[in-house]
Amino acid sequence: MSTAAGSTAPTVVVGGGAAGCVVARRLAERGEPVLLLEAGCDDPAVARALAGPGRIPAGADWGVTATVDGRDAPLRLPRIRALGGTSLIQGGIALRGLPGDYDAWGALAGPSWSHRGLLPYLRRLEADQDYPDDRGHGTDGPLPISRPGPAARQPLHTAFLDGCAELGLPSCEDHNGGGAGGAGPVPLAGDRRGKATARDRYLEPVLEHPGLTVRTGVEAVALEFAGDRAVGVLVRAADGGAPRRIPAGRVVLAAGAVGTPALLQRSGIGDPAALRAAGLPVRAALPGVGTLLRDHPAVHLPFGLDSGHGTEGRPWFQVLLRLAAGQVDGLADTALEVYHDFRLGLPLAHRRALLVASLLSSEGTGVVEPGAFPGPPRVRFHYTGRDLADLTAAAALGLRWLGTGAARTALRPRRVHAPGGSAGVLHALTTAHHLHGGAPMGDDPDTGGVVDRQARVHGLRDLWVADVSICPVPVRANTHLLALAVAERVSDLLTAATDPAPGG
Ligand SMILES: Cc1cc2nc3c(=O)[nH]c(=O)nc-3n(C[C@H](O)[C@H](O)[C@H](O)COP(=O)(O)OP(=O)(O)OC[C@H]3O[C@@H](n4cnc5c(N)ncnc54)[C@H](O)[C@@H]3O)c2cc1C
């Protein structure tokens, strides 16, 4: 066991979002005392509100905003502060990355992070109803996954697939099948019980486990060390009061792509010059903390439907075009999605639609900065001219789809709002909500590695990171499955570190 000799304190997991729920469950199931700390509440009314298309309830968002180089308007980055985290608001799209994404990670950090290495963890979390006998898919994990069939489709979704075929774009029956991209049905996580969140599907079944303690309304403000060992977490309660110390046998960070790097920085771990500039002490020089934050920059093309209005009770998200760079001439890693504009509420939503064009990997990345405590951390994105040109091409593909016979006949689209050129795209650029990176894995701390191949923070002991912030490469998928799979893998690493040495 790698924790401080003689410590009887539990493993403390900071952050009860997607990744934190996985780690808490797996450690508790394996008989390890675990304390899960979550800054937000555990309130079914809040969870219900977040499951729908309405406003985020007061206090349930961290209030993170990003600046984008070259434009004034800030970008809101919803990050949910509640047990279940951003998993509570995610739309249920259960998409794996393309195999090449994980292989790029494996090339940096060894085969256990490659597609082959991570596949068992993707399978472990899935209960894929459409491929129950397929060894490429998981069959008995916590997350029920299925793809809406043709009978559930709205005219909008059928026109999308037909229009993509008309444009000669490849099709893809199973986006999680490990093949190339194309247009096809979206895998969704959920069942009759509703959308599958990490809180409900991972944590709920073990909430009564004797080894697990969950504390909500407790925000970690800094980590505590004895020499180079993490030995506790300094926390403050949501209702104020003086910070107090919670002892830890070891600390596992699962505060998300913004929260994890910010907590490291606020604990004096990061780029020394940046820490000093922010008035923070320097405990460990790790210049990579807060870097290589990735998102999928997107533009929205809303339009009205003169025909093919939607009907109630069917899934909003049903179809997706995902293309790897080079698969279609002139297009980078690109996604197109179309859905009825649920943000407008019924019945208007069924007469308007949102076409979303996004870039699934970009040259430019973002940085996380600690911000002025107790305010939220800050994020800054830089996208290159090439990124903007690629996003412009993605939006142009969306317009071409709107011009197909399939779309014109079935939908008669009108009042299409499209940004013009790179300047227009920069102005209209928004987030696809797929943050990852920020505390990247890498062997060399001097050139940006924050955690080693075991997900331990370089140069410190008993400090691990278990969420999407450790991802060192762009992943061309929505990030909920990524968060769950990374946390499954890190849970195994934590267990292996706890196992007595052979013969010991
Ligand atoms: C609007 C929206 C829609 C999305 N839709 C999809 C989708 O359809 N499919 C998909 O795959 N992905 C989707 N995502 C992305 C997905 O939800 C996230 O990638 C995923 O939840 C990230 O998991 P995480 O564990 O890294 O972070 P989170 O789930 O955000 O968890 C972090 C947790 O840590 C807590 N925390 C942070 N700092 C502290 C601290 N200092 N002390 C204590 N607790 C702390 C937070 O309150 C939170 O509970 C969506 C995201 C958004 C915003």
Side-chain angles (χ1 to χ4, degrees):
M1 174 139 173
S2 76
T3 53
S7 171
T8 52
T11 294
V12 174
V13 179
V14 179
C21 289
V22 175
V23 176
R25 169 167 172 168
R26 293 305 182 203
L27 296 190
E29 278 175 346
R30 293 167 193 169
E32 179 160 344
V34 52
L35 170 59
L36 178 64
L37 298 181
E38 167 54 45
C41 62
D42 183 25
D43 180 344
V46 169
R48 262 196 312 278
L50 289 168
R55 283 173 176 275
I56 298 177
D61 185 8
W62 283 87
V64 178
T65 54
T67 55
V68 181
D69 285 356
R71 77 166 205 200
D72 293 333
L75 199 58
R76 242 186 93 222
L77 296 178
R79 297 285 100 189
I80 298 307
R81 182 183 179 116
L83 191 64
T86 312
S87 174
L88 297 176
I89 200 178
Q90 49 87 26
I93 296 175
L95 194 67
R96 295 179 180 177
L98 291 170
D101 302 339
Y102 311 119
D103 285 340
W105 190 341
L108 290 175
S112 63
W113 294 98
S114 67
H115 180 238
R116 204 165 161 192
L118 284 173
L119 190 56
Y121 297 97
L122 290 160
R123 294 189 61 221
R124 190 194 281 176
L125 67 91
E126 298 171 342
D128 199 311
Q129 323 284 302
D130 298 328
Y131 296 91
D133 305 318
D134 183 334
R135 295 195 52 226
H137 297 78
T139 54
D140 54 4
L143 235 64
I145 294 178
S146 61
R147 296 145 193 80
R153 274 177 207 148
Q154 309 266 18
L156 179 66
H157 307 120
T158 306
F160 183 76
L161 296 180
D162 290 349
C164 286
E166 206 176 308
L167 292 173
L169 298 167
S171 68
C172 178
E173 264 318 295
D174 177 17
H175 278 299
N176 287 347
V186 162
L188 292 175
D191 54 18
R192 283 198 194 89
R193 276 175 62 197
K195 190 170 69 180
T197 70
R199 191 232 170 268
D200 288 348
R201 309 303 170 121
Y202 266 93
L203 200 61
E204 174 88 34
V206 293
L207 275 176
E208 303 302 321
H209 197 288
L212 173 66
T213 307
V214 179
R215 284 211 208 148
T216 54
V218 175
E219 179 180 353
V221 296
L223 306 175
E224 292 220 320
F225 292 86
D228 61 359
R229 279 187 188 278
V231 293
V233 181
L234 199 64
V235 301
R236 61 169 193 164
D239 53 5
R244 65 202 163 84
R245 180 176 174 268
I246 292 184
R250 58 182 171 178
V251 177
V252 181
L253 300 184
V258 177
T260 288
L263 185 56
L264 287 168
Q265 290 163 333
R266 287 173 175 177
S267 307
I269 302 162
D271 175 48
L275 292 175
R276 285 191 200 100
L280 291 163
V282 179
R283 165 167 297 280
L286 281 180
V289 175
T291 67
L292 283 191
L293 180 74
R294 300 180 195 276
D295 190 11
H296 298 149
V299 286
H300 290 177
L301 292 85
F303 59 95
L305 304 170
D306 267 353
S307 179
H309 294 168
T311 45
E312 241 180 290
R314 300 182 185 189
W316 297 103
F317 306 118
Q318 297 215 26
V319 287
L320 167 74
L321 172 73
R322 173 169 64 168
L323 295 174
Q327 209 178 342
V328 171
D329 274 354
L331 287 172
D333 295 305
T334 296
L336 284 186
E337 284 170 274
V338 70
Y339 42 86
H340 290 284
D341 196 347
F342 56 81
R343 302 170 309 171
L344 301 172
L346 293 171
L348 189 56
H350 279 146
R351 298 200 297 272
R352 292 199 60 80
L354 202 58
L355 179 61
V356 182
S358 55
L359 202 57
L360 298 177
S361 70
S362 57
E363 281 185 340
T365 57
V367 293
V368 179
E369 293 164 348
F373 189 78
R378 284 197 312 248
V379 170
R380 199 157 36 84
F381 284 116
H382 174 77
Y383 293 113
T384 66
R386 176 155 173 208
D387 294 333
L388 297 177
D390 287 343
L391 192 49
T392 306
L397 180 66
L399 292 176
R400 281 179 62 209
W401 167 71
L402 275 165
T404 59
R408 280 189 290 120
T409 311
L411 310 174
R412 289 196 278 129
R414 65 182 162 81
R415 289 173 57 199
V416 181
H417 293 277
S422 285
V425 160
L426 178 61
H427 182 70
L429 185 144
T430 185
T431 170
H433 304 299
H434 300 156
L435 301 181
H436 52 298
M441 183 174 284
D443 290 341
D444 182 5
D446 294 334
T447 57
V450 174
V451 297
D452 66 14
R453 295 175 182 210
Q454 309 294 306
R456 298 172 300 206
V457 176
H458 279 300
L460 296 165
R461 285 189 285 171
D462 298 332
L463 181 56
W464 307 64
V465 181
D467 61 32
V468 291
S469 62
I470 67 173
C471 187
V473 295
V475 171
R476 291 168 288 182
N478 313 43
T479 41
H480 193 224
L481 288 201
L482 178 69
L484 303 176
V486 166
E488 286 278 14
R489 164 113 183 89
V490 177
S491 300
D492 275 10
L493 293 169
L494 287 159
T495 304
T498 314
D499 286 341

